[in-house]
Amino acid sequence: MTKFSVLITCYNKEQMIFDAIMSAKNQVGVHEVLVVDDCSSDGSINQIRKHHGITVLSNAHNLGVSASTEIGIRHAHQRGADYIVLLDGDDILAPNAVQYYRSVLEKTGSDAIYSKVLRGTSDCRPLAVPCDPASNITIINDPFDFYLKRIRATTAVCARPLLMVETFNPTLRVQDHQIAFSIFKNAQKVVISDAITHYCSEGRGNTNLSADHLAVATSCVRMYAETYYLTRNSKFHYSYVDRSLRRALRIRHTNAMPWKYNLFLQIVTPFKKLLPTPIQHKIMMGIFLRLPIHPASIA
């Protein structure tokens, strides 16, 4: 039987981690509920230990959410998980989320499924209801091409463990984007679903990744750099690079870059079609190598 594990990462979620774990334990047919506590300084670990029948990994030092996620993924893989459901420590799962994932993945033979998160300006967790098994799905047979057209970066994902970390840097703070890149770059088939499987706390709804300028900048430029190198032998290389460049140029709207790099981007944006590819690449890689990446600075 296909084994589904739920991985929960936690850093200072004392008020919410209990509910997150309970929503995972109440799922039908879960192989393992795994919690990685990233050296929380509040009472999170006490709330975690109130639960029995789960696996708990405690980091000796605060490593950051990306490193904690990778630790959990590799541990779950070693414990025999065929698929991993990701869950943030301040969110909860729909009551039938794992059953739904199992049904779709086994029916389609896909490597991963991306579903939806209910977010809002208030706590959405009390609104949790079973997700609709008849929700519309789209089967993507060319995942990387799809990814470059429309980036999917969310914690509402269930995928084969090693696909999530095939291309992954645990020192970076953009684990959702890295996992999405890794999945879509290496998977053979991915499902996109309209089902709501995850419900956010009030904090998550107000401070999601899109509001973190540094994380967005890092992820966009990183995506460009990885796309450039990982697709060099593809016949669609220039098409992929062009799409990823358009994504990366969006960082000019953030406040994360030093003024001189923003100036470069303002120049590149309207005239990028006129600039030779090597010049575009040199500018983007210059920015990539100078991004102010701070390991273990967000959880």
Side-chain angles (χ1 to χ4, degrees):
M1 185 177 181
T2 307
K3 296 179 180 178
F4 285 73
S5 295
V6 180
L7 169 59
I8 305 172
T9 51
C10 175
Y11 177 68
N12 288 353
K13 304 296 183 184
E14 179 181 6
Q15 303 302 318
M16 292 166 278
I17 187 62
F18 185 91
D19 292 338
I21 297 173
M22 185 61 71
S23 77
K25 288 179 64 177
N26 286 340
Q27 301 291 316
V28 175
V30 173
H31 171 63
E32 179 182 41
V33 175
L34 171 62
V35 182
V36 180
D37 181 69
D38 194 22
C39 197
S40 293
S41 58
D42 63 359
S44 293
I45 194 65
N46 295 327
Q47 293 296 320
I48 293 170
R49 287 172 178 164
K50 290 180 180 180
H51 290 278
H52 301 287
I54 65 173
T55 301
V56 180
L57 301 179
S58 298
N59 295 340
H61 307 283
N62 182 256
L63 302 177
V65 65
S66 292
S68 297
T69 300
E70 185 187 34
I71 288 170
I73 289 172
R74 295 195 182 280
H75 181 87
H77 172 67
Q78 292 173 356
R79 294 286 292 265
D82 297 302
Y83 289 94
I84 294 178
V85 178
L86 296 184
L87 180 64
D88 286 325
D90 50 4
D91 298 341
I92 65 173
L93 290 172
N96 64 336
V98 172
Q99 285 179 290
Y100 174 74
Y101 283 148
R102 180 187 299 277
S103 174
V104 174
L105 289 171
E106 291 184 347
K107 180 179 179 180
T108 61
S110 300
D111 297 308
I113 177 172
Y114 270 87
S115 48
K116 291 189 174 181
V117 179
L118 184 63
R119 301 184 187 278
T121 56
S122 60
D123 192 342
C124 293
R125 293 177 302 163
L127 304 177
V129 295
C131 57
D132 182 3
S135 296
N136 183 63
I137 65 171
T138 302
I139 300 174
I140 309 300
N141 291 306
D142 192 351
F144 196 54
D145 189 63
F146 174 86
Y147 174 83
L148 290 174
K149 291 177 181 176
R150 183 179 180 183
I151 298 174
R152 304 288 299 196
T154 172
T155 53
V157 59
C158 175
R160 299 188 187 279
L162 295 185
L163 278 181
M164 294 179 170
V165 291
E166 185 79 14
T167 54
F168 192 86
N169 184 338
T171 66
L172 298 184
R173 59 190 292 170
V174 287
Q175 80 284 354
D176 294 348
H177 285 267
Q178 289 199 80
I179 287 172
F181 185 95
S182 185
I183 289 173
F184 283 93
K185 174 65 178 67
N186 298 290
Q188 298 297 312
K189 185 188 297 185
V190 175
V191 171
I192 306 298
S193 171
D194 287 338
I196 298 174
T197 57
H198 292 58
Y199 290 80
C200 281
S201 68
E202 184 174 3
R204 289 284 298 174
N206 289 333
T207 57
N208 61 61
L209 183 62
S210 63
D212 187 333
H213 296 314
L214 180 58
V216 173
T218 303
S219 63
C220 287
V221 179
R222 177 178 172 80
M223 187 195 75
Y224 169 81
E226 290 186 331
T227 301
Y228 187 90
Y229 287 112
L230 293 174
T231 67
R232 295 188 75 170
N233 296 324
S234 170
K235 64 179 180 180
F236 301 114
H237 172 69
Y238 290 108
S239 176
Y240 286 148
V241 169
D242 183 64
R243 291 177 191 169
S244 61
L245 177 64
R246 290 200 298 269
R247 295 286 185 182
L249 288 174
R250 293 182 180 182
I251 68 173
R252 71 187 185 280
H253 298 304
T254 75
N255 298 319
M257 301 304 303
W259 70 268
K260 61 181 178 179
Y261 295 115
N262 269 326
L263 179 61
F264 285 148
L265 291 173
Q266 295 291 353
I267 294 173
V268 170
T269 301
F271 302 111
K272 78 178 189 66
K273 290 295 185 182
L274 302 179
L275 290 175
T277 298
I279 294 179
Q280 294 178 9
H281 175 64
K282 185 175 181 179
I283 292 173
M284 296 310 299
M285 290 306 296
I287 294 171
F288 175 68
L289 294 174
R290 291 169 176 81
L291 274 173
I293 297 169
H294 304 292
S297 60
I298 189 172

